[in-house]
Amino acid sequence: MAILNILHFPDDRLRTKAQAVTEVTDKHRTLIKNLLETMYDAPGIGLAATQVNVHERILVIDISEEKNEPIALINPEILEKDGDQEFDEGCLSVPGIYETVHRAEKIRVKALNEKGENIEMNAEGLLAVCIQHEIDHLDGKLFVDYLSQLKKQRIRKKLEKQQRNAM
Ligand code: ZN
């Protein structure tokens, strides 16, 4: 297993729209293991392949306290959305920034699991937020896109400065 390098906003590669996985193979299962390891190490509660510069529609999530309930979704699609909730979101690609975002409260999702089987699941609350946030990554979208231009500019400047200082 390996810890993968996470891209940071405003890196253009985060804007790539990920391709659907046509057949789930060992390569994808290895990627899922590495995504989980990278997410737990960060630590975070969700990570999309886009964030590690792999542009295939795969994401991992674990919102459990004990970090022992990993979920991997391949080609996830939201079938239904209901309600509205707001949540202070953060993102491993936008380190140190937390802002309120509105999203659907409940969703129904279909995807493939790591065996390549069709699955459908209902999610609400934090899990629903997390799935919507990670699917956005696969579409090249970040949570800062929901904020005002002014706020987004401020975050961009702050992170660019941090990245310069880190070099
Ligand atoms: Zn994120």
Side-chain angles (χ1 to χ4, degrees):
M1 290 207 281
I3 307 277
L4 306 170
N5 186 40
I6 299 175
L7 301 176
H8 287 170
F9 174 74
D11 193 311
D12 282 340
R13 291 171 290 180
L14 288 167
R15 299 306 185 175
T16 314
K17 199 167 159 46
Q19 300 292 315
V21 174
T22 47
E23 191 193 349
V24 181
T25 64
D26 283 345
K27 184 189 80 171
H28 300 110
R29 285 182 276 271
T30 301
L31 173 64
I32 286 168
K33 283 201 187 93
N34 290 337
L35 283 171
L36 283 166
E37 196 182 359
T38 305
M39 177 186 79
Y40 289 133
D41 177 71
I45 58 173
L47 190 64
T50 308
Q51 291 176 274
V52 298
N53 202 27
V54 175
H55 302 288
E56 293 189 280
R57 301 188 76 82
I58 298 177
L59 59 85
V60 298
I61 288 173
D62 189 342
I63 59 161
S64 69
E65 289 280 325
E66 269 97 50
K67 300 293 167 207
N68 57 2
E69 292 171 33
I71 298 171
L73 300 178
I74 301 167
N75 299 344
E77 260 179 70
I78 295 175
L79 301 173
E80 286 168 45
K81 285 187 180 188
D82 193 27
D84 177 72
Q85 60 178 329
E86 49 174 41
F87 202 88
D88 276 349
E89 293 189 21
C91 178
L92 294 176
S93 293
V94 193
I97 308 288
Y98 298 88
E99 295 286 348
T100 306
V101 177
H102 283 263
R103 296 195 190 266
E105 187 190 1
K106 293 180 182 174
I107 55 173
R108 181 155 184 84
V109 184
K110 75 165 188 177
L112 299 175
N113 65 16
E114 51 185 286
K115 292 178 202 147
E117 299 161 340
N118 287 302
I119 53 165
E120 277 193 32
M121 63 188 283
N122 293 314
E124 57 181 84
L126 176 59
L127 183 57
V129 167
C130 210
I131 292 172
Q132 291 173 85
H133 175 121
E134 300 309 331
I135 290 178
D136 273 356
H137 277 301
L138 302 178
D139 291 324
K141 196 164 181 183
L142 296 167
F143 84 98
V144 294
D145 299 343
Y146 294 101
L147 309 175
S148 70
Q149 281 303 318
L150 184 70
K151 241 181 198 172
K152 195 172 156 182
Q153 267 309 100
R154 231 180 259 154
I155 293 168
R156 174 192 285 264
K157 284 203 181 109
K158 192 172 168 187
L159 290 190
E160 280 173 343
K161 196 171 164 194
Q162 273 175 17
Q163 282 160 37
R164 272 199 304 277
N165 291 342
M167 274 182 215

